[in-house]
């Protein structure tokens, strides 16, 4: 009898090409996603060595980080010189090496982690890599997905493999049901709040439990997306009917008999009874509240009903970090979170830029107006999300409420394109990182769910969305 | 990576000690999307004035050293940051061998990854080779990695040491990627089996 295996063990074992005596493995990569920022030197390396991309049909590229999200973005003047060069380099490399490509002019263009699943490139049981830490998103399908550096990008391009050592297994279980107004974003933030940003270091997390099972695929992607903020190498959710249903019929998903064959294998992808986890964290779904971050680390999470903490509430090095955060964020200890005034709202990113996210925000905004003087923007995660939102009438709701309705891209998630916070501006953002300067020099970020972002846009301050439901 | 063949070429003398990575490639050139093309900015601040004109006295600007493929350098070459742009710039310029009494550790390892051979020799031997390099373009040195011997322009032989594994990688043109490519047949076999087991991938 073979020992019981975790989901991670199973996917790993199915992809080992070669194993050295010290445990270092050569792991086969099924899907390699590429964007314009971390790939130029890798392609250049191939060119210098006279190498080809080993599996161009398994390589998918899309520009997202630098691209402007305004309607006139096909005009090169909307980009700075170095951004323009990076995007042009991806155009050229995609063509030269014959990889799958979604240029800015393609309606399917969008954030790489939204485009992959949307097009059916990401499937259960796969290994997926990208020169980007939020590759963890794809774990929602029960795919082993993680970010890599530029030299590894080159390694995968050339060999379709990665030299890897196995991580440890961690289980994060969310039991029971979520209460109304509580979303996948609140789960993932609450988990990081509980484990800390280093809690997952050295582990691959498997999320499980009733509250996870109840999530849609999009919600599961939101949860796995932020596994990296908890320090984990990857996050996983075992595939089930919800997964198969989502995958079926996507452009690059298997069809007909192939789909049936795939399904038979996917159904074996779960953690066996009695399999060993090196670490287990359990949260009760009913106890999770809508949360916000108050500081400059994703672990600085509190229920919206809370108050800004005092540095002395913490221990060790975190005391100083909290002091610095509170000062940077312009807050005072003891201040009610709902008293924090907001001047900017950003709805988008690979965490919360999918159609359900837009629906959730629009449901709150319908028939309402955003607060006077508020700058609010929606940046759909892909051109297709944008088109669907227009078809469903969501775009009109946003526009009538006073939101800017943008083109797809990473946008203000990291402010590498022109969408940035000005010094001192305070943003309720559906993205994933609240680091100092992340959304613009001296900009202040509060991470929230799309519904919470919509609520803040209406009232002008951080708000418990349940009061508007 | 290209295989490291025996190099016969012009050696440029750079007796300066502590040549750091900022001198090799100043930080303003790190914004590039490329690894290649840095050769023109190699030693930028030593090589050009503020207007971008060549400084004639700098060794690599002298007619006899413009085609140099070997550097004979002072102690502690490559100290400073870990930027791989430094070996990228040297390799792009055409440098294949650097001879010194010592190298900064990271730079030393980065060099091998980029197909360059750094050679450590005792002071008096470096001094002798420095003199040889000063003779100019007619004095060509030969670096034979296979037999681990440098031969000066007047036929004097200088044996050198090199890590056996690194030597193997250089001679066979193997980097990390190259090494993985040695497992080509395993990868192909895996792909064959996977195509059977999971044809939808
Ligand atoms: S949306 Fe943000 S987190 Fe996601 S890939 Fe783009 S920059 Fe990274």
């Amino acid at each position: 009898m073979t020992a019981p295996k975790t989901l991670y063990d199973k996917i790993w074992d199915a992809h080992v090409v070669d194993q050295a005596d010290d445990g270092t493995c050569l792991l086969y990569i099924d899907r390699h996603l590429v964007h314009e920022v971390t790939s130029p030197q890798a392609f250049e390396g191939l060119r210098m060595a006279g190498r080809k991309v080993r599996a161009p049909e398994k390589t998918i590229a899309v520009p997202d980080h630098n691209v402007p999200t305004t309607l006139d973005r096909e005009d090169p003047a909307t980009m700075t010189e170095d951004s323009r060069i990076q995007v042009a380099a991806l155009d050229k490399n995609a063509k030269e090496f014959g990889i799958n490509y979604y240029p800015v002019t393609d309606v399917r263009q969008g954030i790489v982690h939204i485009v992959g699943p949307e097009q059916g490139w990401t499937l259960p049981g796969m290994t997926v890599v990208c020169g980007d830490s939020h590759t963890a998103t794809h774990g929602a399908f029960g795919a082993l997905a993680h970010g890599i550096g530029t030299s590894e990008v080159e390694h995968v391009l050339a060999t379709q493999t990665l030299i890897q050592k196995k991580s440890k297994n961690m289980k994060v279980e969310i039991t029971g049901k979520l209460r109304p107004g509580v979303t996948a974003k609140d789960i993932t933030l609450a988990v990081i709040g509980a484990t800390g940003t280093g809690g997952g270091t050295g582990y691959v997390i498997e999320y499980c439990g009733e509250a996870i099972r109840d999530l849609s695929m999009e919600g599961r992607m939101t949860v796995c997306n932020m596994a990296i903020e908890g320090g984990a190498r990857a996050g996983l959710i075992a595939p089930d009917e919800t997964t198969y249903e989502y995958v079926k019929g996507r452009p690059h998903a298997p069809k007909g008999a192939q789909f049936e064959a795939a399904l038979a294998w996917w159904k074996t992808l779960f953690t066996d009874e009695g399999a060993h986890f090196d670490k287990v964290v359990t949260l009760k779904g009913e106890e999770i509240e809508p949360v916000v971050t108050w500081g400059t680390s994703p672990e600085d999470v509190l229920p919206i009903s809370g108050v800004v903490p005092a540095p002395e509430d913490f221990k060790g090095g975190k005391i100083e970090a909290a002091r610095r955060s509170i000062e940077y964020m312009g807050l005072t200890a003891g201040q009610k979170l709902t008293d924090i005034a907001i001047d900017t709202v950003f709805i988008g990113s690979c965490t919360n830029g999918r159609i359900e996210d837009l629906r959730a925000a629009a449901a709150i905004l319908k028939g309402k107006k955003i607060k006077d003087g508020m700058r609010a923007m929606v940046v759909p995660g892909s051109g297709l999300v944008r088109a669907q939102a227009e078809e469903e009438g969501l775009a009109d709701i946003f526009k009538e409420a006073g939101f800017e309705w943008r083109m797809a891209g990473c946008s203000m998630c990291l402010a590498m394109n022109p969408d940035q916070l000005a010094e001192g501006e305070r943003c309720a953002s559906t993205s994933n990182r609240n680091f100092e300067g992340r959304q613009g020099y001296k900009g202040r970020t509060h991470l929230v769910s799309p519904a919470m972002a919509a609520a803040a846009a209406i009232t002008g301050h951080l708000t418990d969305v349940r009061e508007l439901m | 990576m290209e295989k490291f063949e025996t190099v016969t070429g012009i050696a440029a003398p750079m007796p300066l000690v502590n040549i750091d990575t900022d001198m090799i490639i100043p930080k303003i050139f790190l914004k590039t999307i490329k690894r290649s093309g840095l050769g023109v900015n190699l030693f930028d601040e030593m090589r050009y004035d503020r207007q971008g004109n060549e400084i004639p006295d700098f060794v690599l600007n002298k007619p006899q050293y413009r085609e140099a493929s070997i550097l004979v350098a002072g102690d502690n070459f490559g100290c400073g940051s870990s930027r791989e742009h430094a070996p990228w710039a040297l390799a792009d310029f055409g440098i294949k061998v650097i001879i010194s009494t010592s190298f900064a550790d990271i730079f030393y390892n980065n060099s091998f990854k980029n197909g360059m051979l750094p050679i450590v020799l005792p002071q008096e031997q470096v001094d002798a080779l420095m003199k040889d390099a000063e003779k100019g373009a007619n004095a060509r040195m030969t670096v034979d990695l296979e037999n681990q011997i440098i031969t000066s322009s007047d036929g004097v032989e200088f044996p050198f040491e090199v890590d056996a594994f690194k030597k193997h990688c250089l001679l066979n043109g193997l980097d990390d990627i190259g090494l993985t490519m040695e497992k080509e047949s395993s990868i192909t076999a895996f792909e064959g089996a996977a195509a059977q087991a999971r044809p939808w991938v």
Side-chain angles (χ1 to χ4, degrees), chain A residues 14-15 18 28 30-31 40-41 44-45 48 51 54 85-86 89 154-155 158 161 254 258 262 265, chain B residues 1 32-36 88 175-178 180-181 183-184 186-188 190-191 198-201:
Chain A
H15 290 86
D18 188 65
Y28 194 79
D30 294 324
R31 292 286 181 265
Q41 281 92 348
E44 190 63 13
M48 282 173 83
R51 292 184 175 127
R54 182 179 176 95
I85 291 173
Q86 276 194 331
E154 186 178 342
H155 192 278
T161 64
Q258 289 240 329
W265 187 60
Chain B
M1 212 159 76
T32 175
I33 55 161
K34 294 176 166 186
R35 270 191 278 231
S36 64
W88 289 346
D175 46 23
D176 245 16
I177 297 176
T180 297
M181 284 182 146
K183 296 179 180 150
E184 161 69 36
S186 307
I187 300 174
T188 305
F190 180 93
E191 281 174 335
R198 299 191 294 278
W200 60 86
V201 178

Short mmCIF file of all heavy atoms in Angstrom, two decimals, chain A residues 14-15 18 28 30-31 40-41 44-45 48 51 54 85-86 89 154-155 158 161 254 258 262 265, chain B residues 1 32-36 88 175-178 180-181 183-184 186-188 190-191 198-201:
data_model
loop_
_atom_site.label_atom_id
_atom_site.label_comp_id
_atom_site.label_asym_id
_atom_site.label_seq_id
_atom_site.Cartn_x
_atom_site.Cartn_y
_atom_site.Cartn_z
N ALA A 14 3.49 13.71 -10.11
CA ALA A 14 3.13 13.53 -11.52
C ALA A 14 4.01 14.36 -12.46
O ALA A 14 3.92 14.22 -13.68
CB ALA A 14 1.66 13.90 -11.73
N HIS A 15 4.88 15.20 -11.88
CA HIS A 15 5.67 16.10 -12.73
C HIS A 15 7.18 15.98 -12.55
O HIS A 15 7.93 16.77 -13.10
CB HIS A 15 5.22 17.55 -12.52
CG HIS A 15 3.86 17.81 -13.06
ND1 HIS A 15 2.71 17.57 -12.34
CD2 HIS A 15 3.43 18.25 -14.28
CE1 HIS A 15 1.65 17.86 -13.08
NE2 HIS A 15 2.06 18.27 -14.26
N ASP A 18 13.17 14.11 -13.01
CA ASP A 18 14.45 13.57 -12.56
C ASP A 18 14.66 13.98 -11.11
O ASP A 18 14.28 15.08 -10.73
CB ASP A 18 15.56 14.16 -13.44
CG ASP A 18 16.91 13.51 -13.19
OD1 ASP A 18 17.02 12.31 -13.48
OD2 ASP A 18 17.83 14.20 -12.68
N TYR A 28 8.57 19.09 -14.39
CA TYR A 28 8.06 19.49 -15.70
C TYR A 28 6.99 20.57 -15.54
O TYR A 28 6.17 20.52 -14.62
CB TYR A 28 7.46 18.29 -16.46
CG TYR A 28 7.26 18.63 -17.91
CD1 TYR A 28 8.35 18.61 -18.79
CD2 TYR A 28 6.03 19.02 -18.40
CE1 TYR A 28 8.19 18.96 -20.12
CE2 TYR A 28 5.86 19.39 -19.73
CZ TYR A 28 6.95 19.34 -20.58
OH TYR A 28 6.79 19.72 -21.91
N ASP A 30 3.79 22.55 -17.13
CA ASP A 30 2.74 22.41 -18.14
C ASP A 30 2.35 23.73 -18.79
O ASP A 30 1.99 23.77 -19.95
CB ASP A 30 1.48 21.79 -17.51
CG ASP A 30 1.71 20.37 -17.04
OD1 ASP A 30 2.46 19.63 -17.72
OD2 ASP A 30 1.13 19.98 -16.00
N ARG A 31 2.39 24.80 -18.01
CA ARG A 31 2.01 26.11 -18.55
C ARG A 31 2.97 27.16 -18.04
O ARG A 31 3.22 27.26 -16.83
CB ARG A 31 0.59 26.50 -18.09
CG ARG A 31 -0.52 25.64 -18.66
CD ARG A 31 -0.77 25.94 -20.13
NE ARG A 31 -1.84 25.12 -20.66
CZ ARG A 31 -1.67 23.96 -21.31
NH1 ARG A 31 -0.43 23.50 -21.52
NH2 ARG A 31 -2.70 23.28 -21.76
N PRO A 40 12.14 40.17 -20.54
CA PRO A 40 13.03 40.58 -21.64
C PRO A 40 14.43 39.94 -21.58
O PRO A 40 14.93 39.46 -22.57
CB PRO A 40 13.13 42.10 -21.50
CG PRO A 40 12.06 42.52 -20.59
CD PRO A 40 11.62 41.34 -19.80
N GLN A 41 15.05 39.94 -20.40
CA GLN A 41 16.40 39.37 -20.29
C GLN A 41 16.41 37.87 -20.53
O GLN A 41 17.40 37.31 -20.98
CB GLN A 41 17.02 39.67 -18.92
CG GLN A 41 17.57 41.06 -18.79
CD GLN A 41 16.55 42.03 -18.22
OE1 GLN A 41 15.37 41.71 -18.11
NE2 GLN A 41 17.01 43.22 -17.85
N GLU A 44 16.28 37.42 -24.19
CA GLU A 44 17.58 37.85 -24.68
C GLU A 44 18.62 36.75 -24.43
O GLU A 44 19.48 36.49 -25.26
CB GLU A 44 17.98 39.15 -23.96
CG GLU A 44 19.20 39.84 -24.52
CD GLU A 44 19.02 40.33 -25.95
OE1 GLU A 44 17.89 40.36 -26.46
OE2 GLU A 44 20.05 40.65 -26.56
N GLY A 45 18.51 36.10 -23.29
CA GLY A 45 19.42 34.99 -22.96
C GLY A 45 19.28 33.85 -23.96
O GLY A 45 20.28 33.28 -24.41
N MET A 48 20.96 34.93 -27.18
CA MET A 48 22.43 34.92 -27.13
C MET A 48 22.98 33.51 -27.19
O MET A 48 24.07 33.28 -27.72
CB MET A 48 22.91 35.60 -25.83
CG MET A 48 22.85 37.11 -25.90
SD MET A 48 23.23 37.84 -24.29
CE MET A 48 25.04 37.79 -24.37
N ARG A 51 19.19 29.53 -28.43
CA ARG A 51 18.21 28.52 -28.03
C ARG A 51 16.81 28.89 -28.48
O ARG A 51 16.52 30.06 -28.73
CB ARG A 51 18.21 28.37 -26.51
CG ARG A 51 19.48 27.75 -26.00
CD ARG A 51 19.42 27.52 -24.49
NE ARG A 51 20.61 26.81 -24.09
CZ ARG A 51 21.44 27.22 -23.11
NH1 ARG A 51 21.18 28.31 -22.44
NH2 ARG A 51 22.50 26.52 -22.83
N ARG A 54 11.30 25.74 -25.83
CA ARG A 54 11.10 24.31 -26.02
C ARG A 54 9.64 23.96 -26.34
O ARG A 54 9.37 23.13 -27.19
CB ARG A 54 11.52 23.54 -24.76
CG ARG A 54 11.36 22.02 -24.94
CD ARG A 54 11.79 21.24 -23.72
NE ARG A 54 11.52 19.83 -23.93
CZ ARG A 54 12.42 18.96 -24.40
NH1 ARG A 54 13.64 19.37 -24.70
NH2 ARG A 54 12.10 17.70 -24.58
N ILE A 85 9.20 50.51 -24.35
CA ILE A 85 10.24 49.56 -24.78
C ILE A 85 9.96 48.16 -24.25
O ILE A 85 10.08 47.17 -24.98
CB ILE A 85 11.64 50.06 -24.33
CG1 ILE A 85 12.01 51.31 -25.14
CG2 ILE A 85 12.69 48.96 -24.51
CD1 ILE A 85 13.28 51.99 -24.68
N GLN A 86 9.51 48.09 -22.99
CA GLN A 86 9.24 46.76 -22.43
C GLN A 86 8.08 46.06 -23.14
O GLN A 86 8.15 44.87 -23.42
CB GLN A 86 8.94 46.86 -20.93
CG GLN A 86 10.20 46.89 -20.09
CD GLN A 86 9.94 46.65 -18.62
OE1 GLN A 86 8.88 46.97 -18.09
NE2 GLN A 86 10.93 46.09 -17.94
N ALA A 89 9.18 45.00 -26.56
CA ALA A 89 10.06 43.82 -26.49
C ALA A 89 9.23 42.55 -26.40
O ALA A 89 9.55 41.54 -27.04
CB ALA A 89 10.99 43.93 -25.28
N GLU A 154 13.95 32.01 -17.99
CA GLU A 154 14.78 31.57 -19.12
C GLU A 154 14.94 30.05 -19.10
O GLU A 154 14.87 29.38 -20.14
CB GLU A 154 16.16 32.25 -19.06
CG GLU A 154 17.00 31.94 -20.28
CD GLU A 154 18.35 32.65 -20.26
OE1 GLU A 154 18.51 33.64 -19.50
OE2 GLU A 154 19.24 32.21 -21.00
N HIS A 155 15.12 29.50 -17.89
CA HIS A 155 15.28 28.05 -17.75
C HIS A 155 14.03 27.32 -18.24
O HIS A 155 14.14 26.31 -18.95
CB HIS A 155 15.57 27.74 -16.27
CG HIS A 155 16.03 26.34 -16.03
ND1 HIS A 155 15.16 25.29 -15.92
CD2 HIS A 155 17.27 25.82 -15.88
CE1 HIS A 155 15.86 24.17 -15.70
NE2 HIS A 155 17.14 24.48 -15.67
N ALA A 158 13.62 27.54 -22.04
CA ALA A 158 14.54 26.68 -22.77
C ALA A 158 14.27 25.19 -22.56
O ALA A 158 14.47 24.39 -23.47
CB ALA A 158 15.98 27.00 -22.38
N THR A 161 11.24 22.93 -17.90
CA THR A 161 11.37 22.35 -16.56
C THR A 161 11.91 23.40 -15.60
O THR A 161 12.39 24.45 -16.02
CB THR A 161 12.35 21.17 -16.53
OG1 THR A 161 13.66 21.66 -16.85
CG2 THR A 161 11.96 20.07 -17.50
N PRO A 254 -9.81 20.88 -22.70
CA PRO A 254 -10.07 19.71 -23.54
C PRO A 254 -11.56 19.60 -23.87
O PRO A 254 -12.42 20.07 -23.12
CB PRO A 254 -9.59 18.54 -22.68
CG PRO A 254 -9.56 19.05 -21.29
CD PRO A 254 -9.30 20.52 -21.38
N GLN A 258 -11.63 13.79 -24.78
CA GLN A 258 -10.46 14.27 -24.03
C GLN A 258 -10.90 14.88 -22.70
O GLN A 258 -10.22 14.72 -21.69
CB GLN A 258 -9.73 15.34 -24.85
CG GLN A 258 -9.01 14.78 -26.04
CD GLN A 258 -7.53 15.03 -25.98
OE1 GLN A 258 -7.08 16.04 -25.43
NE2 GLN A 258 -6.75 14.12 -26.51
N ALA A 262 -9.73 13.66 -19.08
CA ALA A 262 -9.16 14.61 -18.14
C ALA A 262 -9.93 14.56 -16.82
O ALA A 262 -9.34 14.49 -15.73
CB ALA A 262 -9.19 16.02 -18.73
N TRP A 265 -9.05 11.85 -14.45
CA TRP A 265 -7.83 12.08 -13.68
C TRP A 265 -8.02 13.18 -12.63
O TRP A 265 -7.61 13.05 -11.48
CB TRP A 265 -6.67 12.46 -14.61
CG TRP A 265 -5.37 12.53 -13.86
CD1 TRP A 265 -4.77 11.52 -13.17
CD2 TRP A 265 -4.52 13.68 -13.71
NE1 TRP A 265 -3.60 11.96 -12.59
CE2 TRP A 265 -3.42 13.28 -12.90
CE3 TRP A 265 -4.57 15.00 -14.16
CZ2 TRP A 265 -2.38 14.14 -12.56
CZ3 TRP A 265 -3.53 15.86 -13.81
CH2 TRP A 265 -2.46 15.44 -13.02
N MET B 1 24.95 28.53 -23.61
CA MET B 1 26.26 29.19 -23.48
C MET B 1 27.23 28.61 -24.49
O MET B 1 27.23 27.41 -24.72
CB MET B 1 26.78 28.95 -22.06
CG MET B 1 27.61 30.06 -21.54
SD MET B 1 27.66 30.01 -19.72
CE MET B 1 28.81 28.67 -19.43
N THR B 32 18.07 48.57 -18.20
CA THR B 32 17.89 47.98 -19.53
C THR B 32 16.98 46.76 -19.51
O THR B 32 16.80 46.11 -18.49
CB THR B 32 19.26 47.58 -20.10
OG1 THR B 32 19.06 46.92 -21.33
CG2 THR B 32 19.97 46.62 -19.15
N ILE B 33 16.40 46.46 -20.64
CA ILE B 33 15.62 45.24 -20.78
C ILE B 33 16.53 44.12 -21.28
O ILE B 33 16.09 43.04 -21.58
CB ILE B 33 14.47 45.40 -21.79
CG1 ILE B 33 14.99 45.90 -23.14
CG2 ILE B 33 13.41 46.34 -21.24
CD1 ILE B 33 14.03 45.66 -24.27
N LYS B 34 17.81 44.43 -21.40
CA LYS B 34 18.72 43.47 -22.03
C LYS B 34 19.85 43.04 -21.13
O LYS B 34 20.20 43.72 -20.18
CB LYS B 34 19.35 44.12 -23.27
CG LYS B 34 18.38 44.41 -24.36
CD LYS B 34 19.13 45.12 -25.44
CE LYS B 34 18.37 45.17 -26.74
NZ LYS B 34 19.23 45.76 -27.76
N ARG B 35 20.44 41.93 -21.46
CA ARG B 35 21.71 41.53 -20.88
C ARG B 35 22.81 41.86 -21.88
O ARG B 35 23.92 42.12 -21.53
CB ARG B 35 21.72 40.01 -20.65
CG ARG B 35 21.23 39.59 -19.31
CD ARG B 35 21.52 38.14 -19.08
NE ARG B 35 20.52 37.31 -19.71
CZ ARG B 35 19.86 36.33 -19.09
NH1 ARG B 35 20.13 36.07 -17.84
NH2 ARG B 35 18.97 35.63 -19.73
N SER B 36 22.44 41.76 -23.17
CA SER B 36 23.42 42.05 -24.21
C SER B 36 23.43 43.55 -24.45
O SER B 36 22.56 44.27 -23.98
CB SER B 36 23.07 41.30 -25.48
OG SER B 36 21.83 41.76 -25.97
N TRP B 88 27.93 40.54 -17.66
CA TRP B 88 27.26 40.70 -18.95
C TRP B 88 28.00 41.73 -19.81
O TRP B 88 28.20 41.52 -21.00
CB TRP B 88 25.81 41.17 -18.76
CG TRP B 88 24.87 40.15 -18.18
CD1 TRP B 88 25.10 38.80 -18.06
CD2 TRP B 88 23.56 40.39 -17.66
NE1 TRP B 88 24.01 38.20 -17.48
CE2 TRP B 88 23.04 39.14 -17.22
CE3 TRP B 88 22.76 41.53 -17.50
CZ2 TRP B 88 21.77 39.00 -16.65
CZ3 TRP B 88 21.50 41.39 -16.93
CH2 TRP B 88 21.00 40.14 -16.51
N ASP B 175 25.53 25.98 -18.71
CA ASP B 175 25.09 26.75 -17.56
C ASP B 175 24.01 25.90 -16.90
O ASP B 175 23.83 24.74 -17.28
CB ASP B 175 24.56 28.12 -18.01
CG ASP B 175 23.62 27.98 -19.20
OD1 ASP B 175 23.06 26.89 -19.39
OD2 ASP B 175 23.45 28.97 -19.93
N ASP B 176 23.26 26.46 -15.96
CA ASP B 176 22.14 25.75 -15.35
C ASP B 176 21.25 25.14 -16.42
O ASP B 176 20.84 23.99 -16.36
CB ASP B 176 21.29 26.77 -14.56
CG ASP B 176 21.32 26.49 -13.09
OD1 ASP B 176 22.20 25.73 -12.66
OD2 ASP B 176 20.46 27.04 -12.38
N ILE B 177 20.97 25.99 -17.39
CA ILE B 177 20.10 25.54 -18.48
C ILE B 177 20.80 24.45 -19.28
O ILE B 177 20.21 23.42 -19.60
CB ILE B 177 19.73 26.75 -19.38
CG1 ILE B 177 18.93 27.77 -18.58
CG2 ILE B 177 18.95 26.27 -20.61
CD1 ILE B 177 18.60 29.04 -19.34
N GLY B 178 22.08 24.68 -19.53
CA GLY B 178 22.84 23.68 -20.27
C GLY B 178 22.83 22.34 -19.55
O GLY B 178 22.71 21.28 -20.17
N THR B 180 20.60 21.23 -17.41
CA THR B 180 19.28 20.61 -17.55
C THR B 180 19.14 20.00 -18.94
O THR B 180 18.56 18.94 -19.10
CB THR B 180 18.18 21.65 -17.28
OG1 THR B 180 18.31 22.09 -15.93
CG2 THR B 180 16.79 21.06 -17.48
N MET B 181 19.70 20.69 -19.91
CA MET B 181 19.60 20.17 -21.28
C MET B 181 20.34 18.85 -21.46
O MET B 181 20.04 18.09 -22.38
CB MET B 181 20.09 21.22 -22.27
CG MET B 181 19.04 22.32 -22.47
SD MET B 181 19.57 23.54 -23.66
CE MET B 181 17.99 23.97 -24.39
N LYS B 183 19.89 16.59 -19.62
CA LYS B 183 18.86 15.60 -19.28
C LYS B 183 17.76 15.56 -20.34
O LYS B 183 16.65 15.12 -20.09
CB LYS B 183 18.28 15.92 -17.90
CG LYS B 183 19.34 15.79 -16.84
CD LYS B 183 18.83 16.12 -15.47
CE LYS B 183 19.96 15.98 -14.46
NZ LYS B 183 19.81 16.89 -13.33
N GLU B 184 18.10 16.10 -21.47
CA GLU B 184 17.19 16.16 -22.62
C GLU B 184 16.40 14.87 -22.82
O GLU B 184 15.18 14.88 -22.99
CB GLU B 184 18.02 16.51 -23.86
CG GLU B 184 17.41 16.21 -25.21
CD GLU B 184 16.23 17.11 -25.52
OE1 GLU B 184 16.27 18.29 -25.13
OE2 GLU B 184 15.27 16.62 -26.15
N SER B 186 15.67 12.54 -20.69
CA SER B 186 14.68 12.34 -19.63
C SER B 186 13.47 13.24 -19.86
O SER B 186 12.33 12.83 -19.64
CB SER B 186 15.26 12.68 -18.25
OG SER B 186 16.45 11.99 -18.04
N ILE B 187 13.74 14.48 -20.28
CA ILE B 187 12.63 15.41 -20.50
C ILE B 187 11.76 14.90 -21.65
O ILE B 187 10.53 14.87 -21.55
CB ILE B 187 13.14 16.84 -20.81
CG1 ILE B 187 13.98 17.38 -19.64
CG2 ILE B 187 11.97 17.78 -21.10
CD1 ILE B 187 14.64 18.72 -19.90
N THR B 188 12.40 14.48 -22.70
CA THR B 188 11.66 13.97 -23.86
C THR B 188 10.85 12.73 -23.47
O THR B 188 9.69 12.59 -23.86
CB THR B 188 12.62 13.66 -25.02
OG1 THR B 188 13.37 14.84 -25.29
CG2 THR B 188 11.87 13.24 -26.28
N PHE B 190 9.77 12.01 -20.49
CA PHE B 190 8.66 12.47 -19.65
C PHE B 190 7.52 13.00 -20.53
O PHE B 190 6.36 12.68 -20.32
CB PHE B 190 9.12 13.55 -18.68
CG PHE B 190 8.01 14.05 -17.79
CD1 PHE B 190 7.80 13.49 -16.54
CD2 PHE B 190 7.16 15.07 -18.22
CE1 PHE B 190 6.76 13.93 -15.74
CE2 PHE B 190 6.12 15.51 -17.42
CZ PHE B 190 5.92 14.94 -16.18
N GLU B 191 7.91 13.81 -21.51
CA GLU B 191 6.89 14.41 -22.39
C GLU B 191 6.12 13.32 -23.14
O GLU B 191 4.90 13.41 -23.30
CB GLU B 191 7.54 15.37 -23.39
CG GLU B 191 7.85 16.72 -22.77
CD GLU B 191 8.63 17.65 -23.68
OE1 GLU B 191 9.33 17.16 -24.58
OE2 GLU B 191 8.54 18.87 -23.48
N ARG B 198 -1.79 12.22 -20.17
CA ARG B 198 -2.59 13.44 -20.08
C ARG B 198 -2.54 14.19 -21.41
O ARG B 198 -1.98 15.29 -21.50
CB ARG B 198 -2.05 14.34 -18.96
CG ARG B 198 -2.09 13.71 -17.57
CD ARG B 198 -1.79 14.71 -16.46
NE ARG B 198 -0.42 15.20 -16.49
CZ ARG B 198 0.61 14.55 -15.98
NH1 ARG B 198 0.43 13.39 -15.40
NH2 ARG B 198 1.81 15.04 -16.06
N PRO B 199 -3.12 13.60 -22.44
CA PRO B 199 -3.00 14.18 -23.79
C PRO B 199 -3.59 15.58 -23.91
O PRO B 199 -3.24 16.32 -24.82
CB PRO B 199 -3.76 13.19 -24.67
CG PRO B 199 -4.65 12.40 -23.75
CD PRO B 199 -3.95 12.39 -22.44
N TRP B 200 -4.45 15.96 -22.96
CA TRP B 200 -5.10 17.28 -23.06
C TRP B 200 -4.18 18.42 -22.65
O TRP B 200 -4.47 19.57 -22.92
CB TRP B 200 -6.35 17.30 -22.18
CG TRP B 200 -6.04 17.05 -20.72
CD1 TRP B 200 -5.67 17.98 -19.80
CD2 TRP B 200 -6.03 15.79 -20.06
NE1 TRP B 200 -5.45 17.38 -18.58
CE2 TRP B 200 -5.67 16.03 -18.72
CE3 TRP B 200 -6.30 14.48 -20.47
CZ2 TRP B 200 -5.55 15.02 -17.77
CZ3 TRP B 200 -6.20 13.48 -19.52
CH2 TRP B 200 -5.83 13.74 -18.19
N VAL B 201 -3.07 18.07 -21.99
CA VAL B 201 -2.12 19.13 -21.60
C VAL B 201 -1.40 19.55 -22.87
O VAL B 201 -1.00 20.57 -23.13
CB VAL B 201 -1.14 18.64 -20.53
CG1 VAL B 201 -0.14 19.73 -20.18
CG2 VAL B 201 -1.88 18.19 -19.29
#
